[in-house]
């Protein structure tokens, strides 16, 4: 009683209701902290894979072919006059929409292997004639097209020559039957897979060589994507190379796009007697050439597309990511994209920070940081990309593709697995056609559809997200070169350091290239 009297009567004392009010605040803080940890669980797993120790950074720098680039303006990691502006947040009803189809696209064809031998020799001559005129007409179809058309006609599917109005579309040789959605289907086991063996392709980074790093199963290599009502055409390396004579194909993006680029080189290698390679721009720009075809296949490291403090292709594992978004911030990278005939973009993985993204802006000669939601920052960068493409790309000569997000599988509970499970130990796909886990963002998919759908130049969206969500079995998991030392706790629990972001090769990303191949040559 004396204590109560003291609290309530002492001059300037705390009111009697302070104690229960403080308790409520304490409970609320604990609840918020717990909820935040749930949201950031996937992010922390990804960051564990991407961030390296200081020792690792020094080792990477030592292996770099050239000197480390001078920091952009010398101010990447500084915070200038930080201004925090509350961004616009997507409404809950918009977030809840399932982005089932990014953009309406034509369809696919019969998926059996194309005949080679004498037919391919004829294809070289006929496609060269078509190249000179800039188009392949129905009277000048290659033997591969004739073979495909005959096969599909016999079996119910059709591959038709491009209509007159479509003949001006670069690289297109035909169109798909109507009513088939390439991105809706299922994974079926195919003993004829894979297209190549891991040990036979020298273009695969140690980041993706799962068999070489001890993966015990090979099931992940044998799954084939089967769209409903139709099939993907077989990937024909010689046909593609003939169509790309004298052309440049460039992949622009992050390590996931680099994995797809490696897959493309592996798919093409058997048809190329000798590849030659070169590096430029401090290894950000990798070029492999096919001298016989005077063609080049290139990759440019730009995880955010625009400038950022993650632009060093070898040493870029930073926790405090800053995206530069102002006039000219895209041009530093884009100057290397000019003159390219086929552009393949991606960007998403590096946007996963678990918090708002830091966007560096300029205003009246000053630089400042603005915190934005991932969706708003992503939209801003995509608009910059589209604006540059509209000013610099001729749609009559260049084809532009955008690969949608590559999903992750860090939460086994998403697919009914172990509460603390990840992709580690998974050997089969998910067969529930309605599955959509926490490893992909519907709101980001919505941004892609909105921004690219308004572009004045054609941008073909290759929707790999849903079909990749089914492939919890295809990640590199623990079977890759590790660029950091494991702790005893990690060694005891492989799930804790499994890479459920990147993919084994051969594997899923070969299918991404089959879809790209289909969209490039068949409207």
């Amino acid at each position: 009683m004396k204590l109560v009297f003291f609290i309530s009567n002492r001059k300037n004392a705390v009111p009697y209701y302070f104690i229960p009010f403080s308790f409520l605040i304490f409970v609320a803080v604990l609840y918020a902290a717990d909820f935040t940890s749930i949201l950031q669980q996937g992010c922390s797993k990804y960051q564990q894979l991407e961030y390296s120790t200081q020792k690792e950074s020094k080792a990477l720098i030592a292996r770099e072919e050239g000197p480390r680039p001078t920091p952009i303006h010398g101010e990447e990691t500084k915070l200038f006059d930080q201004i925090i502006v509350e961004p616009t947040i997507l409404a809950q009803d918009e977030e809840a929409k399932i982005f089932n189809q990014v953009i309406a696209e034509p369809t696919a064809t019969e998926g059996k292997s194309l005949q080679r031998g004498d037919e391919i020799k004829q294809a070289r001559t006929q496609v060269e004639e078509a190249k000179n005129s800039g188009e392949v007409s129905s009277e000048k179809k290659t033997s591969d097209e004739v073979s495909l058309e005959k096969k599909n006609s016999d079996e119910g599917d059709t591959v038709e020559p491009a209509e007159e109005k479509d003949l001006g579309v670069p690289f297109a040789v035909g169109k798909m039957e109507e009513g088939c959605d390439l991105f809706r289907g299922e994974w079926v086991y195919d003993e004829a897979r894979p297209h190549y063996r891991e040990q036979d392709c020298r273009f695969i980074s140690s980041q993706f060589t799962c068999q070489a790093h001890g993966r015990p199963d090979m099931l992940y290599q044998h799954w084939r994507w089967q769209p409903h009502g139709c099939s993907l055409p077989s990937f024909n390396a010689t046909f593609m190379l003939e169509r790309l004579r004298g052309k440049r194909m460039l992949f622009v993006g992050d390590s996931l796009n680099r994995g797809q680029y490696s897959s493309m080189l592996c798919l093409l290698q058997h048809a190329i007697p000798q590849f030659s390679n070169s590096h430029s721009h401090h290894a950000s720009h990798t070029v492999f050439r096919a001298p016989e075809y005077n063609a080049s296949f290139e990759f440019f490291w730009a995880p955010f597309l625009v400038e950022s403090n993650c632009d060093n292709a070898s040493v870029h594992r930073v926790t405090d990511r800053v995206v530069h978004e102002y006039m000219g911030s895209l041009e530093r990278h884009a100057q290397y994209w000019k003159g390219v005939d086929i552009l393949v973009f991606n960007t998403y993985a590096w946007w996963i920070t678990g918090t708002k993204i830091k966007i560096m802006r300029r205003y009246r000669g000053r630089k400042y940081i603005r915190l934005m939601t991932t969706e708003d920052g992503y939209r801003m960068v995509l608009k910059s990309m589209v604006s540059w493409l509209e000013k610099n790309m001729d749609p009559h000569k260049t084809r532009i593709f955008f690969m949608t997000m590559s999903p992750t599988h860090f939460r086994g509970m998403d697919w009914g697995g172990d509460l603390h499970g990840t992709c580690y130990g998974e050997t089969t796909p998910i067969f529930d056609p309605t599955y959509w886990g926490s490893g992909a963002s519907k709101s980001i998919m919505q941004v892609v559809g909105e921004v690219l759908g308004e572009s004045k130049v054609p941008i073909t969206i290759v929707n790999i997200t849903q079909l990749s969500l089914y492939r919890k079995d295809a990640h590199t998991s623990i079977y890759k070169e590790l660029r950091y030392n494991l702790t005893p706790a990690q060694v005891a629990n492989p799930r804790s350091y499994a890479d459920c972001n990147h993919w084994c090769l051969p594997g899923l990303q070969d299918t991404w290239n089959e879809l790209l191949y289909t969209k490039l040559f068949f409207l």
Side-chain angles (χ1 to χ4, degrees):
M1 292 298 295
K2 292 181 179 180
L3 178 63
V4 173
F5 179 82
F6 174 77
I7 293 176
S8 58
N9 291 279
R10 182 180 175 183
K11 185 179 181 180
N12 298 325
V14 179
Y16 69 90
Y17 53 80
F18 176 76
I19 295 177
F21 184 69
S22 300
F23 178 75
L24 290 176
I25 293 177
F26 177 72
V27 172
V29 170
L30 285 180
Y31 177 80
D34 182 66
F35 183 69
T36 302
S37 67
I38 295 175
L39 290 178
Q40 296 184 352
Q41 180 179 4
C43 173
S44 63
K45 293 274 188 179
Y46 176 74
Q47 290 178 338
Q48 180 185 26
L49 299 171
E50 289 296 330
Y51 305 153
S52 64
T53 62
Q54 185 67 25
K55 178 180 177 181
E56 175 204 356
S57 297
K58 292 180 180 179
L60 287 172
I61 295 172
R63 292 199 298 267
E64 183 69 10
E65 294 183 2
R68 184 175 180 181
T70 302
I72 307 169
H73 308 301
E75 299 173 314
E76 284 133 318
T77 58
K78 295 180 180 178
L79 298 182
F80 306 90
D81 302 328
Q82 184 163 338
I83 300 178
I84 301 177
V85 181
E86 189 65 24
T88 302
I89 301 177
L90 292 175
Q92 289 186 352
D93 57 339
E94 294 178 339
E95 175 69 22
K97 293 180 181 177
I98 298 178
F99 192 51
N100 290 321
Q101 186 174 5
V102 179
I103 190 170
E105 292 284 351
T107 55
T109 58
E110 174 60 36
K112 294 187 177 181
S113 299
L114 298 176
Q115 299 297 321
R116 301 185 184 276
D118 293 336
E119 291 182 337
I120 298 301
K121 293 181 181 179
Q122 297 175 18
R124 294 191 179 194
T125 302
Q126 295 179 357
V127 174
E128 182 63 23
E129 294 174 357
K131 182 176 73 68
N132 294 333
S133 63
E135 58 193 32
V136 176
S137 67
S138 59
E139 292 78 22
K140 288 187 177 182
K141 290 177 290 185
T142 67
S143 58
D144 287 271
E145 296 168 59
V146 174
S147 176
L148 264 178
E149 186 172 295
K150 184 177 185 302
K151 284 185 180 182
N152 294 329
S153 178
D154 292 341
E155 299 185 22
D157 292 334
T158 60
V159 177
E160 302 176 3
E163 295 179 0
E164 186 66 29
K165 65 182 177 62
D166 295 324
L167 291 179
V169 178
F171 307 105
V173 298
K175 66 176 184 177
M176 304 305 110
E177 61 173 325
E178 297 182 359
C180 171
D181 186 346
L182 291 179
F183 310 119
R184 293 177 182 270
E186 61 182 346
W187 289 98
V188 297
Y189 186 82
D190 187 346
E191 192 62 44
R193 297 266 173 160
H195 294 289
Y196 54 90
R197 298 189 305 171
E198 177 185 298
Q199 61 268 33
D200 293 337
C201 184
R202 65 185 178 89
F203 305 109
I204 307 177
S205 164
S206 57
Q207 190 178 17
F208 314 122
T209 51
C210 298
Q211 291 296 308
H213 288 88
R215 178 158 181 167
D217 73 293
M218 297 183 66
L219 292 176
Y220 66 94
Q221 298 184 2
H222 291 280
W223 295 98
R224 172 173 55 83
W225 178 246
Q226 178 62 58
H228 294 317
C230 57
S231 297
L232 293 174
S234 294
F235 188 97
N236 188 315
T238 306
F239 174 74
M240 182 171 183
L241 289 164
E242 288 292 350
R243 292 293 296 157
L244 268 56
R245 276 190 180 274
K247 305 298 182 182
R248 293 175 60 196
M249 183 176 195
L250 175 64
F251 291 79
V252 179
D254 55 28
S255 58
L256 291 158
N257 212 18
R258 183 164 52 198
Q260 185 179 355
Y261 169 65
S262 298
S263 164
M264 178 63 76
L265 295 177
C266 293
L267 290 169
L268 293 173
Q269 69 172 357
H270 76 273
I272 300 176
Q274 182 178 3
F275 260 123
S276 63
N277 69 294
S278 64
H279 296 271
S280 62
H281 192 50
H282 301 288
S284 291
H285 190 192
T286 302
V287 181
F288 279 92
R289 305 184 190 280
E292 181 181 348
Y293 297 90
N294 189 30
S296 67
F297 299 87
E298 311 170 28
F299 171 77
F300 192 93
W301 172 263
F304 291 102
L305 300 184
V306 298
E307 282 186 61
S308 74
N309 64 336
C310 308
D311 285 345
N312 186 298
S314 297
V315 185
H316 47 244
R317 294 172 178 84
V318 296
T319 57
D320 189 26
R321 301 173 187 178
V322 181
V323 179
H324 299 202
E325 176 50 39
Y326 43 77
M327 185 175 297
S329 63
L330 182 71
E331 185 62 32
R332 179 175 181 271
H333 295 328
Q335 61 180 312
Y336 296 93
W337 311 343
K338 294 180 179 179
V340 171
D341 301 283
I342 302 170
L343 277 165
V344 184
F345 291 100
N346 96 308
T347 181
Y348 175 66
W350 282 79
W351 292 86
I352 306 174
T353 63
T355 59
K356 294 177 181 179
I357 196 77
K358 293 181 178 180
I359 306 293
M360 181 185 290
R361 309 297 302 276
R362 284 179 176 175
Y363 180 71
R364 294 183 178 180
R366 298 177 63 205
K367 298 178 181 179
Y368 61 91
I369 296 294
R370 177 180 181 181
L371 296 184
M372 303 181 72
T373 64
T374 300
E375 289 81 3
D376 286 343
Y378 196 85
R379 179 181 289 105
M380 184 183 303
V381 166
L382 285 191
K383 286 185 176 180
S384 294
M385 180 194 75
V386 168
S387 177
W388 186 88
L389 292 171
E390 290 175 344
K391 295 176 182 177
N392 293 277
M393 291 297 162
D394 182 352
H396 299 293
K397 298 179 180 179
T398 305
R399 291 290 296 280
I400 305 165
F401 297 88
F402 187 88
M403 312 299 295
T404 60
M405 77 181 70
S406 173
T408 62
H409 293 88
F410 286 110
R411 291 167 57 91
M413 59 186 301
D414 284 351
W415 56 85
D418 189 280
L419 178 63
H420 302 291
T422 65
C423 66
Y424 172 71
E426 297 291 343
T427 58
T428 57
I430 296 169
F431 296 104
D432 177 5
T434 65
Y435 174 77
W436 186 284
S438 60
S441 169
K442 297 169 188 175
S443 57
I444 288 293
M445 294 291 280
Q446 181 176 340
V447 172
V448 171
E450 290 173 354
V451 176
L452 302 192
E454 296 174 355
S455 172
K456 296 178 182 178
V457 296
I459 300 177
T460 301
I461 299 175
V462 183
N463 188 0
I464 60 170
T465 304
Q466 181 71 71
L467 60 93
S468 300
L469 273 165
Y470 301 141
R471 296 303 307 275
K472 60 181 171 60
D473 62 309
H475 291 286
T476 54
S477 185
I478 66 172
Y479 308 108
K480 55 178 284 186
E481 179 185 21
L482 297 178
R483 297 178 177 176
Y484 51 87
N485 296 324
L486 298 176
T487 65
Q490 288 176 319
V491 173
N493 180 19
R495 294 175 176 177
S496 66
Y497 68 92
D499 182 348
C500 300
N501 184 59
H502 297 96
W503 310 92
C504 297
L505 287 178
L508 171 65
Q509 291 183 303
D510 300 322
T511 296
W512 294 2
N513 279 321
E514 289 177 290
L515 291 164
L516 179 62
Y517 173 93
T518 301
K519 290 298 183 183
L520 179 61
F521 297 121
F522 305 100
L523 300 173

